[in-house]
Amino acid sequence: MLKNDGRAQDTMPHHWIRGNVPLCSYCVVCKQQCGSQPKLCDYRCIWCQKTVHDECMKNSLKSEKCDFGEFKNLIIPPSYLTSINQMRKDKKTDYEGLASKLGTQWTPLIILANSRSGTNMGEGLLGEFRILLNPVQVFDVTKTPPVKALQLCTLLPYHSARVLVCGGDGTVGWVLDAVDEMKIKGQEKYIPQVAVLPLGTGNDLSNTLGWGTGYAGEIPVTQVLRNVMDADGIKLDRWKVQVTNKGYYNLRKPKEFTMNNYFSVGPDALMALNFHAHREKAPSLFSSRILNKAVYLFYGTKDCLVQECKDLNKKVELELDGERVDLPNLEGIIVLNIGYWGGGCRLWEGMGDETYPLARHDDGLLEVVGVYGSFHCAQIQVKLANPFRIGQAHTVRLILKCSMMPMQVDGEPWAQGPCTVTITHKTHALMLYFSGEQTDDDISSTSDQEDIKDTE
């Protein structure tokens, strides 16, 4: 923020800092490379990122107006916050008028990064984003929870804010839960659109939304910000999963979860449960995405031999939209909301050799499939087999009649006794879809979806 000294928003000068000039940066005066000497030299404006040599620095540059550079539509100017602070003291709330001076393209970006995700890559990203944006709009969710960080949206114009979540699918779910709390508080006009920078292990949600299977620094942070500016708004279905334990004298409330990705019972939930148990014992050993997937592979191979979830069809009853479904000899049932499952596999489409309605994340429908075991899951992931497609439904009800079975919602597993699981639509989340990271499968499925829209 600026001191309240009466300076208008459109006359903010550059803020020059000497040294630490980025590599391959060029002087705005002589166009030659800056920062080439082995010492702290040359200047950089911390807002627009322009650089200038020591000898090229002129008084005119020191007083020149700063335009905030390439990312001016993402940055919250310090003078804006100063003005907001003054307006709140005067009990005024005309934020729209204040923001109109920043242009119609202004979509301020809030960064919510999990510093513990991605081999601690989140910590480095926090520093890079604080260099490019206003540090006040960059949060570490391990220190400032999303519910508190998102209150910054209430100081911005209606429907203008965007949020970039840097973390795994679990972090994204945490942020979306905080967004739902904003709705409960009556702050729907301030709800932001959410983009994802995937730092987790599976990252199926970010893959579905076009943000890729995992970020490892292969593109610079500046390109990430460009991708956010180019992304399009879409809706994502969110579902309520209610688990009611069996028994006439059960006085406990049913457990409730919010599902963004998928619910499952069977071998993939068992793998997640075993992985989760070992990660809780030694979290420092599970900081590598490749190592995590190797552990999943180990438990999947083990289950191929042991078959702990066999005869599932004799233990459960399944209802789709109130109609009971007869099941073959399955070991697992998976209920999908998004296109990807298991770290990058398009489960509903399978090998892609059969015509089925495409899986969508915004149609209010769930896709329900069955698997015959861990080996069948592995075959599906390498496109050597199709899942057993049970159907699509608006409401799914699963009754576990006997024994303990592993279950999971969005990668959070637990062991569950006899119960009734009911999955119903809860709400929509406003997300950002980036089309630049599409795979061949995405391109074909997107074109098919466009054909369906055209026929409608």
Side-chain angles (χ1 to χ4, degrees), residues 234-239 260 321 336-339 348-349 356-367 391-395 425 427-429 449 452-453 456:
I234 60 167
K235 288 184 177 181
L236 172 74
D237 290 323
R238 304 191 78 211
W239 301 82
N260 302 311
D321 289 337
L336 297 157
N337 178 45
I338 60 176
W348 179 252
E349 285 84 356
Y356 276 87
L358 289 168
R360 294 177 59 109
H361 47 262
D362 60 354
D363 57 357
L365 281 173
L366 294 164
E367 286 72 40
Q392 293 178 299
H394 298 91
T395 303
H425 193 268
T427 185
H428 283 106
Q449 288 178 11
I452 292 171
K453 286 182 180 178
E456 289 174 352

Side-chain angles (χ1 to χ4, degrees), residues 306-320:
V306 180
Q307 291 185 302
E308 292 184 38
C309 303
K310 64 181 179 179
D311 298 326
L312 178 69
N313 55 302
K314 297 177 182 177
K315 301 173 184 175
V316 303
E317 292 179 6
L318 180 66
E319 295 178 6
L320 302 185

Side-chain angles (χ1 to χ4, degrees), residues 331-343:
E331 286 193 24
I333 295 172
I334 303 166
V335 182
L336 297 157
N337 178 45
I338 60 176
Y340 284 96
W341 162 87

Side-chain angles (χ1 to χ4, degrees), residues 204-418:
D204 290 308
L205 179 56
S206 69
N207 205 5
T208 299
L209 299 174
W211 297 101
T213 56
Y215 179 77
E218 61 275 9
I219 61 172
V221 170
T222 50
Q223 186 58 49
V224 173
L225 293 178
R226 293 183 196 109
N227 293 348
V228 172
M229 288 193 291
D230 293 338
D232 300 311
I234 60 167
K235 288 184 177 181
L236 172 74
D237 290 323
R238 304 191 78 211
W239 301 82
K240 181 174 78 172
V241 180
Q242 183 171 291
V243 182
T244 307
N245 291 325
K246 192 176 180 181
Y248 295 105
Y249 302 105
N250 180 29
L251 301 177
R252 288 184 297 176
K253 286 184 178 181
K255 289 187 286 188
E256 285 192 5
F257 305 88
T258 300
M259 182 184 86
N260 302 311
N261 301 0
Y262 36 71
F263 163 86
S264 71
V265 53
D268 69 322
L270 179 63
M271 284 185 272
L273 185 61
N274 287 328
F275 174 85
H276 190 75
H278 281 78
R279 185 169 63 176
E280 289 291 305
K281 292 178 183 176
S284 60
L285 299 178
F286 294 84
S287 58
S288 165
R289 190 178 294 136
I290 295 174
L291 178 61
N292 292 351
K293 291 188 176 183
V295 174
Y296 267 101
L297 176 64
F298 168 76
Y299 285 119
T301 306
K302 177 184 174 185
D303 188 57
C304 286
L305 304 173
V306 180
Q307 291 185 302
E308 292 184 38
C309 303
K310 64 181 179 179
D311 298 326
L312 178 69
N313 55 302
K314 297 177 182 177
K315 301 173 184 175
V316 303
E317 292 179 6
L318 180 66
E319 295 178 6
L320 302 185
D321 289 337
E323 294 185 13
R324 185 171 172 182
V325 179
D326 292 327
L327 299 173
N329 187 20
L330 299 173
E331 286 193 24
I333 295 172
I334 303 166
V335 182
L336 297 157
N337 178 45
I338 60 176
Y340 284 96
W341 162 87
C345 167
R346 294 196 71 91
L347 182 59
W348 179 252
E349 285 84 356
M351 293 190 294
D353 59 341
E354 300 172 2
T355 304
Y356 276 87
L358 289 168
R360 294 177 59 109
H361 47 262
D362 60 354
D363 57 357
L365 281 173
L366 294 164
E367 286 72 40
V368 186
V369 303
V371 293
Y372 299 112
S374 294
F375 186 67
H376 186 212
C377 288
Q379 287 179 306
I380 294 169
Q381 286 190 312
V382 294
K383 293 194 174 183
L384 291 177
N386 285 317
F388 177 75
R389 297 180 184 89
I390 298 171
Q392 293 178 299
H394 298 91
T395 303
V396 175
R397 191 164 179 256
L398 185 144
I399 302 169
L400 178 60
K401 297 182 286 188
C402 59
S403 76
M404 295 285 288
M405 289 294 291
M407 295 184 179
Q408 70 151 335
V409 173
D410 291 353
E412 296 297 324
W414 73 97
Q416 178 65 48

Side-chain angles (χ1 to χ4, degrees), residues 9 19 31 65 150 160 184-185 195 203 213 243 248 265 313 321 323 393 403 426:
Q9 284 179 309
K31 312 302 181 187
K65 167 190 166 183
L150 289 177
S160 67
I184 295 171
K185 294 176 182 176
N203 303 314
T213 56
V243 182
Y248 295 105
V265 53
N313 55 302
D321 289 337
E323 294 185 13
S403 76
K426 181 181 180 182

